[in-house]
């Protein structure tokens, strides 16, 4: 049965799509839309058409699962042209998300009405694409060039109220969408000529007179778009809309769309779209498992981590009891949270009353027993097993039955922590990434005894607080930090052999990482995990810490920093490196950029394979989600495992073997990686 059905209401033809979950514009939908327009054209009794969708949303875009397969006709660009050329006025009735191809259908319709809660956007750029069904040509004509540029190149949607202000939505509907859309269609059914987006050019005039807008836009967003191919091609397509007649502009759009579609970045970004959604699925848990109810969250520790974690819940409207040992620390923690919220409000992203609303849900206290009525308690104190065990023993004594007990540990064994309680089934790890109120990743650490409903609760809660959760098993550093270890070790070793911090960092930044290993170390604190004995100097890091070079916070780390925190190469650090090299009897040599990639990134891929081998990640794509959301791995490279697949696993193995003598005695080559390389298999896709 076609997902598109039609029925008449008086002289209005109502065309309804029912293609769950998001009314993606797959083949059957496209065919159905073409047939519906033909029906309207061929039926004299029909005076206008309303297109409306059932379920949670208006068309959320082309069906991404069809990409990369032979496309079945009619293609979407043809469908939208057929809609625009309908001889009766077509009204798109929008709710939910009119995204991508969905907005293109709406733009080809002659009128758009929407619920105020609807969102309109062209997120194709996030899939490494551009709106390829006339969107780059029609959107600037309807919403104006500047708005179209912003929407297409960033992929961020706008709300229906803003869209109404721009003329992208003709009328906001309060109440029953379909009923009001039909009434609207009645009002416009006789208006001639029928207004067509492709024939307008009033909103192009300003950019035609001042093509500088494009250069300005590129300049303003250069940093944000660094490394990505799609934003630039979105800009070029809109430039074509301004510079050329519609018929020529769409040809440019098609060419640019195909260039992107056949490229490696689009493949990686589309892969990642599904990887992110797959991460939410937990292996080996019955689908009917119900989550526990979380009405109040407790957080132990009001430091940077505890405060950031609390903010996630407060922002989602979930009350938080935060516990500290001393009033001063408690006040400081609450003060920082308030300041963070106020900074968000100052940027216009929150209202003053929302700030008060969030802070009003916070219950700061010195009384540990106040955690007794919390449904989930997250411990966020410093990394010390004895301290954590003591806290969990206390929690076990006071928390209500069924409460979930979580640790925010980055490295320590959840099983050992759980063993300090009589309810290990209620214990798990919730590893937030710093700054916890900003970073999207949440590693959900599944202990040997963690109950299925505890895991399900964690995954659902993650969604509620807008995090992307990935399940990890209990191993040192879980997924993310465990893979960081070989990278940092090799980066440090490379310094001894002749590379400089600047060179190693540059290679990583050119690869697309937001910063290199040494820049990251300086930002996070060189002293993190340091043994704190200035007389025990066993490596370069110890030497830096011993002379207070703890990173940006001290104005010195692997780099020197000025008052504005601008880095410059440090002769002191170079001296330390030279000393260590001499002591270790290592000969200085020229290090190639390729060697840096092989030593730091190939070894990470190998560690990822070891994690999979050990069953500490459910699937390779979960590892990629961790690295994109936790460490800023460039999404256009898909994540380390997807990137390795693209490079060729045989190349990765050969590169590692090539470096084997330099990787250190502890290095272990993954059997899984070798076997996959030999069999010509991949980790992902
Ligand atoms: C495009 O339109 C190209 C055109 O310009 C040109 C063509 C020539 N297709 O995200 P959720 C699945 S490109 C297929 O968890 P939410 C998704 O995988 C497209 N499947 O829900 C998931 O499946 P599962 C431009 C899709 O409520 C399920 O639906 N459009 C598609 O949190 C639920 O998804 C976009 O990029 C799709 N287009 O969020 C929009 N979309 O249950 C992409 C979703 O098996 N989509 N699925 O895991 C979204 O942004 C969000 O899904 C949306 C709903 C906001 C709509």
């Amino acid at each position: 049965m076609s997902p598109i059905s039609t029925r008449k209401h008086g002289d209005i033809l109502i065309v309804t799509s029912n293609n769950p979950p998001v009314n993606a514009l797959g083949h059957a939908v496209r065919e159905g839309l073409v047939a519906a327009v033909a029906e309207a054209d061929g039926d004299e009794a029909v005076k206008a058409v309303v297109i409306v969708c059932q379920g949670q949303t208006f068309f959320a875009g082309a069906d991404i699962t069809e990409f990369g397969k032979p496309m079945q006709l009619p293609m979407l660009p043809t469908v939208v042209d057929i809609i625009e050329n309908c001889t009766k006025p077509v009204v798109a009735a929008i709710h939910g998300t009119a995204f991508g191809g969905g907005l293109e259908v709406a733009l080809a319709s002659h009128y758009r009405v929407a619920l105020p809660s609807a969102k309109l956007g062209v997120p194709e750029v996030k899939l490494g694409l551009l709106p390829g069904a006339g969107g780059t040509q029609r959107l600037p004509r309807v919403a104006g060039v500047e708005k179209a540029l912003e929407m297409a190149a960033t992929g961020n949607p706008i709300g229906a109220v803003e869209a109404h202000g721009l003329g992208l939505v003709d009328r906001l509907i309060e109440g029953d969408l379909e009923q009001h859309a039909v009434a609207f269609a009645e009002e416009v059914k006789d208006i001639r000529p029928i207004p067509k987006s492709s024939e307008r050019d009033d909103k192009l005039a300003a950019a035609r007179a001042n093509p500088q807008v494009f250069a300005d836009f590129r300049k303003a967003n250069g940093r944000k778009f660094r490394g990505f191919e799609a934003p630039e091609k979105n800009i070029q397509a809109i430039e074509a809309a301004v510079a050329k007649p519609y018929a020529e502009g769409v040809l440019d759009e098609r060419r640019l769309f195909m260039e992107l579609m056949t490229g490696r970045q689009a493949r990686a970004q589309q892969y990642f779209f599904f990887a992110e959604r797959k991460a939410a699925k937990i292996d080996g848990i019955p689908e009917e498992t119900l989550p526990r109810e979380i009405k109040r969250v407790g957080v132990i520790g009001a430091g940077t981590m505890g405060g950031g974690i609390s903010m996630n819940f407060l922002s989602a409207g979930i009350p938080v009891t935060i516990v500290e040992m001393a009033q001063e620390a408690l006040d400081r923690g609450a003060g920082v949270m308030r300041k963070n919220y106020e900074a968000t409000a100052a940027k216009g992203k929150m209202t003053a009353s929302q700030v008060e609303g969030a802070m009003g849900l916070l219950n700061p206290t010195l009384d540990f027993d106040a955690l007794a009525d919390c449904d989930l308690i997250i411990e966020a104190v410093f990394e010390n097993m004895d301290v954590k065990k003591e806290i969990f023993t206390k929690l076990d004594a006071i928390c209500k039955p069924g409460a979930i007990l979580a640790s925010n540990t980055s490295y320590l064994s959840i099983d050992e922590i759980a063993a300090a309680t009589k309810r290990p089934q209620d214990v798990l790890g919730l590893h937030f990434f710093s700054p916890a109120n900003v970073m999207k990743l949440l590693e959900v650490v599944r202990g040997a005894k963690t109950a299925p409903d505890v895991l399900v609760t964690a995954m659902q809660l993650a969604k509620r607080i807008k995090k992307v959760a990935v399940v990890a098993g209990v191993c040192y550093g879980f997924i993310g930090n465990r893979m960081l270890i070989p990278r940092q070790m090799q980066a440090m070793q490379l310094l001894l052999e002749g590379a400089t911090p600047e060179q190693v960092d540059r290679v990583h930044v050119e690869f697309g990482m937001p910063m290199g290993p040494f820049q990251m170390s300086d930002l996070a604190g060189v002293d993190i995990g340091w043994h704190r004995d200035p007389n025990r100097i066993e490596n370069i890091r110890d030497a830096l810490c011993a002379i207070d070079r703890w990173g940006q916070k001290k104005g010195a780390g692997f780099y020197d920093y000025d008052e504005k925190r601008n880095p410059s190469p440090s002769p002191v650090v170079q001296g330390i490196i030279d000393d260590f090299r001499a002591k270790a009897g290592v000969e200085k040599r020229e290090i190639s950029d390729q060697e840096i990639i092989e030593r730091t990134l190939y070894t990470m891929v190998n560690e990822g394979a070891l994690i999979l081998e050990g069953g500490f990640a459910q699937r390779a794509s979960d590892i990629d989600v961790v690295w994109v959301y936790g460490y800023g791995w460039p999404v256009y490279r898909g994540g380390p495992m997807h990137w390795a697949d693209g490079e060729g696993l045989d190349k990765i193995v050969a590169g590692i073997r090539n470096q084997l003598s330099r990787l250190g005695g502890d290095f272990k080559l993954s059997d899984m990686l070798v076997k996959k390389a030999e069999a010509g298999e991949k980790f992902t896709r």
Side-chain angles (χ1 to χ4, degrees):
M1 209 175 71
S2 171
I4 299 291
S5 59
T6 56
R7 69 180 206 287
K8 272 195 264 181
H9 184 280
D11 52 6
I12 309 297
L13 186 72
I14 303 174
V15 179
T16 306
S17 171
N18 181 13
N19 188 31
V22 296
N23 282 306
L25 288 148
H27 176 240
V29 174
R30 298 196 301 273
E31 237 177 15
L33 285 173
V34 170
V37 173
E39 184 184 340
D41 279 335
D43 186 343
E44 275 200 11
V46 171
K47 298 289 180 220
V49 179
V50 167
I51 301 180
V52 67
C53 292
Q54 283 183 358
Q56 66 175 31
T57 179
F58 191 73
F59 306 108
D63 186 339
I64 309 168
T65 59
E66 288 181 353
F67 290 176
K69 300 178 190 153
M71 198 39 101
Q72 284 180 283
L73 300 179
M75 305 241 289
L76 196 56
T78 314
V79 176
V80 297
D81 284 347
I82 288 173
I83 293 173
E84 192 176 59
N85 290 324
C86 180
T87 51
K88 321 281 167 75
V90 179
V91 179
I94 301 169
H95 77 294
T97 44
F99 277 2
L103 186 57
E104 291 175 303
V105 165
L107 282 163
S109 302
H110 308 113
Y111 300 95
R112 290 156 293 280
V113 300
L115 294 182
S117 57
K119 289 204 165 73
L120 295 85
V122 273
E124 283 88 341
V125 72
K126 295 184 181 173
L127 300 169
L129 296 174
L130 52 77
T136 63
Q137 308 301 300
R138 288 192 179 93
L139 187 60
R141 286 178 158 81
V142 178
V145 172
E146 285 185 43
K147 200 60 187 180
L149 269 177
E150 188 189 312
M151 288 173 72
T154 67
N156 296 331
I158 59 171
V161 177
E162 182 182 353
H164 183 237
L166 290 164
L168 178 56
V169 164
D170 297 290
R171 184 175 294 172
L172 291 172
I173 304 287
E174 301 283 353
D176 188 284
L177 179 64
E178 184 180 299
Q179 202 185 333
H180 283 84
V182 168
F184 182 90
E186 285 290 346
E187 284 175 41
V188 297
K189 67 184 181 190
D190 296 323
I191 294 178
R192 294 292 181 277
I194 298 176
K196 294 185 182 178
S197 306
S198 65
E199 289 176 357
R200 284 178 65 172
D201 65 359
D202 49 306
K203 292 205 173 169
L204 302 180
R208 278 188 177 145
N210 174 27
Q212 182 64 21
V213 288
F214 294 103
D216 292 347
F217 184 78
R218 283 187 175 98
K219 202 164 154 223
N221 292 285
R223 252 176 85 102
K224 200 188 299 171
F225 299 156
R226 183 177 69 92
F228 286 90
E229 287 163 6
E232 172 56 26
K233 294 214 194 284
N234 272 274
I235 299 170
Q236 286 175 17
I238 294 175
E239 251 174 336
V242 170
K244 300 180 179 179
Y246 180 83
E248 285 175 37
V250 280
L251 294 181
D252 277 27
E253 178 190 272
R254 184 99 301 249
R255 176 179 52 79
L256 292 163
F257 180 82
M258 289 315 294
E259 282 170 16
L260 287 173
M261 190 58 142
T262 48
R264 201 168 152 185
Q265 291 202 353
R267 205 162 46 246
Q269 289 178 254
Q270 287 158 31
Y271 151 79
F272 193 77
F273 176 85
F274 291 111
E276 184 180 336
R277 281 152 182 84
K278 232 185 279 165
K281 303 186 168 65
I282 319 170
D283 288 345
I285 288 197
E287 266 205 27
E288 58 281 5
T289 309
L290 290 175
R292 299 185 189 177
E293 201 178 2
I294 305 295
K295 288 204 275 209
R296 174 173 283 278
V297 172
V299 175
I300 307 171
T304 315
M305 232 27 220
I309 291 171
S310 303
M311 288 177 72
N312 290 305
F313 296 102
L314 299 175
S315 303
I318 304 170
V320 173
T321 298
I322 190 162
V323 182
E324 252 300 345
M325 309 262 279
Q327 189 64 44
E328 198 204 338
L330 195 60
D331 292 345
R332 196 177 335 114
V336 170
M337 285 156 74
R338 173 171 283 282
K339 241 176 68 194
N340 284 340
Y341 276 131
E342 282 170 354
T344 309
K347 284 189 215 143
K349 292 186 181 163
M350 248 179 133
T351 63
S353 77
Q354 282 170 325
V355 173
E356 294 316 315
M359 287 306 289
L361 294 172
L362 182 68
N363 170 29
T365 175
L366 299 176
D367 177 13
F368 200 86
D369 290 347
L371 296 171
D373 70 339
C374 293
D375 306 293
L376 161 70
I377 298 95
I378 305 170
E379 163 278 310
V381 306
F382 57 95
E383 290 282 79
N384 177 305
M385 183 53 96
D386 291 337
V387 175
K388 299 214 185 237
K389 278 185 181 167
E390 198 186 313
I391 289 176
F392 275 75
T393 309
K394 268 165 81 180
L395 285 175
D396 195 18
I398 62 153
C399 290
K400 62 184 177 189
I404 297 176
L405 313 182
S407 171
N408 177 51
T409 179
S410 314
Y411 290 96
L412 302 177
S413 165
I414 292 298
D415 290 336
E416 208 179 324
I417 295 172
T421 72
K422 287 193 267 325
R423 39 173 129 178
Q425 74 281 0
D426 295 338
V427 178
L428 86 171
L430 290 180
H431 180 212
F432 289 83
F433 285 66
S434 188
N437 53 320
V438 178
M439 297 295 286
K440 278 194 74 121
L441 180 66
L442 178 65
E443 274 181 335
V444 172
V445 187
R446 177 182 199 167
K449 298 194 175 154
T450 308
D453 64 340
V454 169
L455 278 173
V456 168
T457 310
M459 300 308 274
Q460 290 205 354
L461 197 59
K463 209 167 177 184
R464 233 170 115 193
I465 60 171
K466 301 199 169 71
K467 298 280 176 210
V468 177
V470 173
V471 177
V474 178
C475 60
Y476 189 72
F478 314 124
I479 297 174
N481 284 343
R482 175 167 164 176
M483 286 168 74
L484 205 55
I485 296 169
R487 189 185 88 162
Q488 296 299 103
M489 263 177 51
Q490 291 304 321
M492 206 67 97
Q493 183 61 26
L494 280 161
L495 297 186
L496 275 191
E497 293 172 29
T500 59
E502 303 84 82
Q503 187 194 4
V504 176
D505 285 343
R506 175 183 53 75
V507 169
H508 280 251
V509 170
E510 282 175 5
F511 181 82
M513 299 297 292
M515 60 189 102
F518 300 108
Q519 291 163 325
M520 193 182 104
S521 187
D522 273 3
L523 181 68
V526 184
D527 61 313
I528 289 186
W530 179 45
H531 48 61
R532 316 244 146 213
D533 178 356
N535 297 316
R536 196 177 125 204
I537 296 178
E538 288 161 2
N539 54 39
I540 298 171
R541 209 265 305 250
D542 290 349
L544 259 56
C545 287
I547 55 167
D548 252 17
R549 297 190 69 101
W550 293 7
Q552 288 196 19
K553 58 188 170 188
K554 295 269 188 179
F558 283 96
Y559 295 88
D560 289 336
Y561 293 90
D562 65 17
E563 329 65 67
K564 288 191 180 139
R565 295 203 171 187
N566 292 314
S568 56
S570 165
V572 176
V573 172
Q574 199 49 57
I576 292 174
I577 295 170
D578 292 343
D579 273 0
F580 266 92
R581 182 180 304 122
K583 269 191 241 150
V586 175
E587 187 140 356
K588 184 173 179 177
R589 62 189 172 87
E590 196 69 32
I591 308 276
S592 70
D593 290 359
Q594 179 58 24
E595 177 170 348
I596 293 175
I597 299 266
E598 289 175 358
R599 300 270 299 270
T600 58
L601 298 184
Y602 286 17
T603 50
M604 267 182 59
V605 170
N606 181 67
E607 197 65 34
L610 289 171
I611 287 173
L612 282 171
E613 252 177 68
F616 302 115
Q618 300 192 92
R619 43 187 96 85
S621 60
D622 283 7
I623 296 177
D624 287 340
V625 173
V626 165
W627 270 81
V628 168
Y629 280 124
Y631 303 85
W633 182 281
V635 64
Y636 57 78
R637 293 192 195 272
M641 306 315 276
H642 180 83
W643 170 72
D645 283 340
E647 292 294 286
L649 297 185
D650 49 348
K651 181 175 157 195
I652 303 283
V653 171
I656 293 177
R657 288 201 164 123
N658 195 23
Q659 300 293 345
L660 217 48
S661 62
R662 301 189 171 118
L663 295 179
D666 292 345
F667 181 82
K668 182 179 178 311
L669 182 59
S670 153
D671 287 341
M672 183 191 268
L673 176 59
V674 172
K675 278 193 192 129
K676 279 194 182 287
E678 282 169 359
E681 288 173 9
K682 293 181 188 302
F683 283 108
T684 66
R685 226 163 294 234

